[in-house]
Amino acid sequence: MKYVYTDKHHLHDPRTEIEASGLNEPRERPARLDEIAKALASDTTFEKVELTTHGLGPIKDVHDPTMVDFLSDAWARFQTQVRESREVVPDVFAMSSLRLGMDGGRAPLPVDAQLGWYCFETTTPLVAGTFEAATAAVDVALTATDLVLDSLSAAPVAYAACRPPGHHAAYNLYGGYCFFNNVAVAANYALNRLGSDAKSGAGSRPRVSILDVDYHHGNGTQQIFYQRQDVQFVSLHADPTRAYPFHLGFAEETGAGDGAGANLNLPLAANTNDEEFLSALEVACKAVVEFKPEILFVSIGFDISATDPLGDFAVTPEGFTRIGAKIAALGLPTVIVQEGGYDVSRLGEYALCFLRPFANR
């Protein structure tokens, strides 16, 4: 089974969370992906593939181009226009209530004001290498997508070892440790490639499904595709009445406009165990089968584990194997994209448990 990984993720190495919470290490740090990469490299079942660059076009097809341009030089501009700072976070946010009773609103010009226009929370600092790391993460997802698209008839699988993660990044907002929505960019890119084939007579209107099994709801992925009928978003996650991102991820959010019915949220209770998670996954997989996608994208988060410091689920290593086996059994061409997971000491183990059923199908 092929996987795509790059050391460029080390360029995003934030420290703010240590100071903010008293942690010995920030939750979202390079060691997360290092542990997964080390585990995959030790197992001959997996073959590493170097990323190929795709430019900013696929990112700007999904995200507001002005946000992409902002992120490209925001850290550097802050150093010269505001003050020198290793990490850059917003001081004020452009909340809609600030303009209650007024129309419109416009993007601010100063870089310190723009931070609160494009970022929705304070745990996602910019450092000098953030933009390069974030674009490389997208290229990891796109390279894995190319691997799958290039051999569709064999129902291939590829794993994109992405960091920073992506599923909280929305059309024109970053946050939740995420800058660009890796899985959303990859899904849209796949549709563009599949659409080109369809126009040449190779098939009908293409569809893809995104199955998100991270502990946290993929609010950004949902928002990006909420009104589209060619992308199905299905998410199993902690009930937002108690868990981040709090404002999205409720069962009644089912899509709108052309996307009505293409969004399925399955919020879960605290202490959800293997059997309970797999029961909800059965519902999710049934919805995917009914949607009939050409490709399945999986946002995998190992923060559903019983040992994760940010979650309250109770999924075991055996549970990860069974979850992987259940999704693999769908027999679809599949791109697996890494999202969360913060018990660094166990991430390699969890990754192998989840991925091996795909390698063996």
Side-chain angles (χ1 to χ4, degrees):
M1 177 177 169
K2 294 180 178 179
Y3 71 97
V4 187
Y5 167 85
T6 177
D7 283 332
K8 289 184 177 181
H9 76 91
H10 289 114
L11 294 170
H12 179 64
D13 186 11
R15 298 286 173 176
T16 293
E17 199 175 18
I18 302 174
E19 301 170 4
S21 63
L23 298 170
N24 293 325
E25 293 283 352
R27 299 298 194 197
E28 206 299 286
R29 63 189 194 269
R32 294 180 56 243
L33 207 58
D34 290 343
E35 287 300 308
I36 293 174
K38 183 168 64 175
L40 295 179
S42 70
D43 190 325
T44 57
T45 304
F46 301 95
E47 175 188 351
K48 179 182 172 182
V49 176
E50 297 294 333
L51 65 79
T52 56
T53 58
H54 294 71
L56 296 180
I59 299 176
K60 291 185 175 182
D61 285 344
V62 166
H63 289 290
D64 184 348
T66 62
M67 184 188 80
V68 179
D69 293 340
F70 163 77
L71 285 170
S72 71
D73 65 359
W75 184 89
R77 287 197 295 130
F78 191 92
Q79 309 307 304
T80 59
Q81 297 177 15
V82 184
R83 62 183 180 276
E84 291 187 3
S85 176
R86 184 185 186 276
E87 307 196 357
V88 173
V89 295
D91 291 324
V92 64
F93 294 92
M95 306 296 292
S96 60
S97 297
L98 290 171
R99 298 188 60 81
L100 190 64
M102 296 179 277
D103 294 329
R106 59 183 182 178
L109 295 177
V111 64
D112 46 345
Q114 286 179 317
L115 287 164
W117 182 266
Y118 292 115
C119 184
F120 64 86
E121 43 96 286
T122 60
T123 70
T124 312
L126 302 177
V127 299
T130 295
F131 184 74
E132 187 174 353
T135 54
V138 172
D139 278 326
V140 166
L142 294 176
T143 303
T145 302
D146 282 331
L147 291 172
V148 170
L149 286 169
D150 289 344
S151 55
L152 279 180
S153 60
V157 180
Y159 168 62
C162 293
R163 184 185 169 272
H167 71 157
H168 294 307
Y171 168 71
N172 60 355
L173 289 170
Y174 70 93
Y177 304 150
C178 305
F179 300 93
F180 300 131
N181 196 311
N182 306 311
V183 75
V185 175
N188 190 71
Y189 172 83
L191 284 169
N192 287 341
R193 278 195 55 179
L194 291 167
S196 296
D197 291 341
K199 289 176 183 177
S200 64
S204 58
R205 181 183 179 92
R207 289 179 159 196
V208 302
S209 292
I210 300 173
L211 174 60
D212 192 320
V213 288
D214 186 278
Y215 173 82
H216 304 95
H217 179 251
N219 59 286
T221 312
Q222 172 174 293
Q223 185 261 346
I224 287 167
F225 296 120
Y226 202 65
Q227 298 191 48
R228 284 179 56 169
Q229 60 182 289
D230 54 352
V231 181
Q232 178 193 47
F233 179 64
V234 180
S235 179
L236 290 74
H237 53 269
D239 193 321
T241 58
R242 74 172 194 284
Y244 186 98
F246 300 110
H247 305 290
L248 291 163
F250 298 96
E252 60 265 27
E253 297 160 10
T254 58
D258 289 343
N263 197 90
L264 174 62
N265 286 324
L266 298 168
L268 301 173
N271 301 310
T272 291
N273 60 25
D274 292 351
E275 298 302 330
E276 292 163 335
F277 196 93
L278 285 158
S279 178
L281 184 61
E282 180 71 29
V283 176
C285 287
K286 183 175 184 291
V288 169
V289 170
E290 291 174 351
F291 192 73
K292 299 179 180 178
E294 274 80 2
I295 298 180
L296 173 64
F297 289 83
V298 179
S299 279
I300 177 61
F302 299 124
D303 44 4
I304 62 174
S305 74
T307 64
D308 195 88
L310 295 187
D312 59 13
F313 286 177
V315 173
T316 67
E318 179 189 0
F320 278 116
T321 299
R322 294 172 65 191
I323 292 166
K326 177 65 179 174
I327 300 171
L330 295 174
L332 291 167
T334 304
V335 180
I336 301 166
V337 178
Q338 187 61 49
E339 300 288 359
Y342 306 96
D343 180 3
V344 172
S345 66
R346 304 289 296 276
L347 290 181
E349 174 191 3
Y350 296 153
L352 291 177
C353 288
F354 179 77
L355 293 172
R356 279 176 179 152
F358 292 93
N360 297 328
R361 78 176 184 182

